[in-house]
Amino acid sequence: MCEESCLLYPINAYDDHGLLKLNKMLWLALIFNAKALVIFVMAGVSRTQGGQLLELIYPLRDTLYIGMVLGMPALLLMWLSGQRNNNNKVLHYLWQHGKKLLIAAYSIDFALQIYHLVLSQGAFSWVRALTLLLTVWLGLYLVRSSRVKDVFAH
């Protein structure tokens, strides 16, 4: 049997089934990846200013739809995080490839943001700048974090 000293993370980092829990940074990365879906719901809730909110963050309507599609892997992984203890091979396969799915979604989102930057001829916008910064920062976190690798390895 393995003693406590052979655990890679503190005992409270594991759930009741012995699986490594998603940390706050990974949850932030998942929620940020699903930002188009979150903004779409927020715009629907605030009916009077919903159109303005969508126009501010997604000036081209097509990019909202692309962003919603790019957010689907994050929603899937949020759901799968609660299903990891099931013995379903399909769910297990999807979970093991979750990191690749997220990195692909972040890469496409990054390319889309660069495309918008080119279209706007480099015009500065705080919203775009913060979104681009968070995309790069969280994308690098997903690529470099050993915790993310270990979460998806189980």
Side-chain angles (χ1 to χ4, degrees), residues 63-132:
T63 58
L64 171 67
Y65 303 130
I66 293 169
M68 291 171 76
V69 170
L70 290 175
M72 291 297 173
L75 286 181
L76 174 68
L77 292 171
M78 286 180 205
W79 176 74
L80 285 175
S81 70
Q83 306 297 320
R84 292 187 297 161
N85 60 335
N86 292 348
N87 289 329
N88 188 320
K89 290 181 181 181
V90 174
L91 297 181
H92 186 68
Y93 178 82
L94 288 171
W95 181 256
Q96 285 185 319
H97 291 86
K99 180 179 176 180
K100 294 174 192 168
L101 281 170
L102 271 178
I103 291 172
Y106 266 85
S107 299
I108 295 168
D109 189 27
F110 176 74
L112 191 61
Q113 290 180 46
I114 296 299
Y115 174 70
H116 284 197
L117 191 60
V118 169
L119 282 181
S120 67
Q121 298 173 348
F124 183 78
S125 163
W126 279 107
V127 173
R128 285 191 213 140
L130 290 174
T131 303
L132 186 60

Side-chain angles (χ1 to χ4, degrees), residues 111-153:
L112 191 61
Q113 290 180 46
I114 296 299
Y115 174 70
H116 284 197
L117 191 60
V118 169
L119 282 181
S120 67
Q121 298 173 348
F124 183 78
S125 163
W126 279 107
V127 173
R128 285 191 213 140
L130 290 174
T131 303
L132 186 60
L133 177 68
L134 282 171
T135 301
V136 170
W137 183 52
L138 291 170
L140 286 173
Y141 170 74
L142 290 172
V143 169
R144 298 185 50 126
S145 172
S146 60
R147 173 78 181 242
V148 172
K149 178 184 155 201
D150 293 340
V151 164
F152 288 108

Side-chain angles (χ1 to χ4, degrees), residues 2-60:
C2 182
E3 296 178 18
E4 190 173 320
S5 63
C6 72
L7 294 175
L8 292 175
Y9 300 96
I11 194 73
N12 63 351
Y14 296 91
D15 65 10
D16 296 337
H17 303 284
L19 299 171
L20 191 58
K21 294 179 191 174
L22 280 68
N23 61 352
K24 292 177 184 175
M25 281 294 292
L26 185 51
W27 276 109
L28 177 65
L30 289 169
I31 292 168
F32 185 75
N33 185 242
K35 67 186 171 295
L37 296 163
V38 171
I39 291 168
F40 182 73
V41 169
M42 287 174 43
V45 171
S46 61
R47 294 180 184 141
T48 57
Q49 297 173 339
Q52 294 171 342
L53 178 66
L54 287 175
E55 194 69 30
L56 174 68
I57 299 174
Y58 291 101
L60 301 173

